[in-house]
Amino acid sequence: MAMVQKKRIFVAGHRGMVGQAIVRRLLQDKTVDILTRDRSELDLTEQQKVREFLAAENPDQIYIAAAKVGGIHANATYPAEFIYKNLLLEANLIHGAWVNGIKKLLFLGSSCIYPKLAPQPMPENSLLTGQLESTNEPYAIAKIAGIKLCESYNRQYSQTHGTDFRSVMPTNLYGPGDNYHPENSHVIPALIRRFFDAKMADSPSVTIWGSGKPRREFLHADDAADACVHIMSIDRDAYAAATEPMMSHVNVGTGHDTTIGELAQKISDCVGYTGEITFDPSKPDGPMRKQLDVSLINKLGWSANIDFDDGLRDAVQGYQELVNDVASFNEGAQRGRN
């Protein structure tokens, strides 16, 4: 029996939440060899190193899950880093793929690419039709540039070189491997940590930034990974026909949203916090609503599978395990010093 030739797939950003989820999903396919590199092994902002790596390893496909990401506070504090580092790494990988004859690539963007006043739910064709939300504009511009890089290489080289670069725009993601930094995390991990800390400290109340009224859509990282693999599996002609013009991007979400106030209550319940939840309207809300139109990806044969309440419980459990691991490590280190 002839051996099946395995596809070599490079997952850039495999240590991040989405990258980890993509690796987990790809491991289900026995015809795939997964290629990864830590930041210490390959700096994606270094163009020559990226080119040399891709030339040496010659993967069949690339998933670009690497990015500098963060919530409202991080975007406001580090705007230069958000635009500079994201522009560099995506340009190096996308151009490097073309230089080395790697025809198939998936770029992961973000729902923040859409205008502040885009129609709700936000369809793919609302891109570049209005002003961006100011709180994350640098990051959004970098992600828009990634989409346009993929479109442009397809436009110039798809017929002559078979270039097939695709983009997906996931909504707000959460799940195992999330970033729980007290200042630079997104809303779900930030709230999980805040309620957990409040419970441990027996705090009488927890204050949430903003009014609690904005609505957000959330997608589990494992659903996002499944959508990415699904998009890459679609026949090229079928994908091109569905995403004209220029083989553009596809939204990935659940089609459902919730208010920040409702989210805070759900997480409080999952954590088991019984104190009061208050809101600080002096802090920025961001856009009042951000829900994706997911009709295109549904037509392409994919829809979200993980229930939001189940996903939140999973995320809270993951954080509890992380805290327990850190506590065990610190206890062991202390015993070692004694």
Side-chain angles (χ1 to χ4, degrees):
M1 182 182 294
M3 293 189 64
V4 176
Q5 182 68 35
K6 288 192 173 185
K7 297 189 295 288
R8 302 188 75 233
I9 300 180
F10 174 46
V11 180
H14 75 287
R15 292 290 191 184
M17 176 178 63
V18 186
Q20 290 181 43
I22 290 173
V23 169
R24 286 195 298 271
R25 176 61 181 80
L26 289 173
L27 284 172
Q28 299 174 23
D29 186 345
K30 302 304 181 183
T31 68
V32 165
D33 274 335
I34 301 172
L35 180 64
T36 62
R37 287 294 185 274
D38 289 332
R39 191 177 304 170
S40 61
E41 299 172 296
L42 177 64
D43 184 347
L44 296 175
T45 66
E46 295 289 339
Q47 184 184 67
Q48 189 58 37
K49 291 180 180 178
V50 172
R51 285 200 195 181
E52 290 172 355
F53 166 76
L54 294 177
E57 298 295 341
N58 192 32
D60 299 293
Q61 299 180 13
I62 298 175
Y63 284 71
I64 305 179
K68 180 173 180 60
V69 299
I72 291 178
H73 176 81
N75 275 272
T77 307
Y78 311 110
E81 292 180 35
F82 272 84
I83 192 167
Y84 176 72
K85 290 187 176 181
N86 283 303
L87 283 171
L88 277 182
L89 70 87
E90 66 197 27
N92 290 342
L93 286 165
I94 293 168
H95 184 67
W98 179 79
V99 167
N100 288 285
I102 301 164
K103 296 179 173 59
K104 203 154 188 181
L105 174 148
L106 185 76
F107 173 70
L108 278 84
S110 166
S111 60
C112 70
I113 63 168
Y114 293 117
K116 180 178 181 179
L117 300 178
Q120 298 290 331
M122 299 179 287
E124 285 86 355
N125 63 11
S126 64
L127 181 65
L128 295 178
T129 59
Q131 187 174 358
L132 296 167
E133 167 59 41
S134 60
T135 56
N136 55 19
E137 184 183 72
Y139 178 73
I141 287 174
K143 288 299 184 179
I144 292 170
I147 298 170
K148 293 302 176 181
L149 274 169
C150 290
E151 287 183 5
S152 297
Y153 279 82
N154 288 335
R155 181 178 180 182
Q156 188 166 344
Y157 299 116
S158 63
Q159 297 301 317
T160 57
H161 292 74
T163 302
D164 184 1
F165 295 168
R166 306 180 182 189
S167 299
V168 294
M169 298 301 113
T171 189
N172 301 285
L173 300 175
Y174 71 99
D178 214 335
N179 170 25
Y180 293 94
H181 190 280
E183 294 180 344
N184 298 335
S185 57
H186 287 111
V187 61
I188 285 183
L191 289 177
I192 289 174
R193 177 169 182 160
R194 194 172 304 173
F195 281 114
F196 188 88
D197 290 349
K199 179 184 178 181
M200 293 299 99
D202 200 23
S203 298
S205 66
V206 170
T207 300
I208 310 300
W209 269 32
S211 66
K213 296 178 181 178
R215 303 187 68 87
R216 294 291 183 270
E217 178 183 14
F218 298 99
L219 180 72
H220 196 282
D222 286 336
D223 264 344
D226 189 62
C228 289
V229 174
H230 178 81
I231 287 294
M232 286 290 268
S233 72
I234 296 171
D235 174 78
R236 183 181 180 278
D237 290 339
Y239 182 81
T243 57
E244 284 296 334
M246 296 180 290
M247 295 176 66
S248 191
H249 60 287
V250 177
N251 289 339
V252 181
T254 64
H256 306 284
D257 61 7
T258 186
T259 69
I260 297 300
E262 291 166 344
L263 173 67
Q265 187 62 60
K266 283 178 179 288
I267 293 175
S268 174
D269 293 342
C270 286
V271 170
Y273 175 73
T274 57
E276 182 184 7
I277 302 174
T278 62
F279 297 89
D280 181 0
S282 69
K283 301 297 185 182
D285 270 332
M288 290 308 294
R289 193 179 186 196
K290 282 179 62 178
Q291 182 182 344
L292 293 179
D293 180 343
V294 293
S295 57
L296 176 55
I297 195 167
N298 291 165
K299 290 177 183 177
L300 288 169
W302 183 89
S303 59
N305 183 58
I306 298 173
D307 177 79
F308 187 42
D309 290 342
D310 291 340
L312 282 181
R313 283 191 289 270
D314 174 55
V316 169
Q317 181 180 349
Y319 181 67
Q320 176 71 70
E321 292 170 354
L322 177 65
V323 170
N324 291 342
D325 288 345
V326 171
S328 297
F329 175 83
N330 290 340
E331 183 180 346
Q334 184 62 41
R335 283 199 302 268
R337 287 192 291 268
N338 292 337

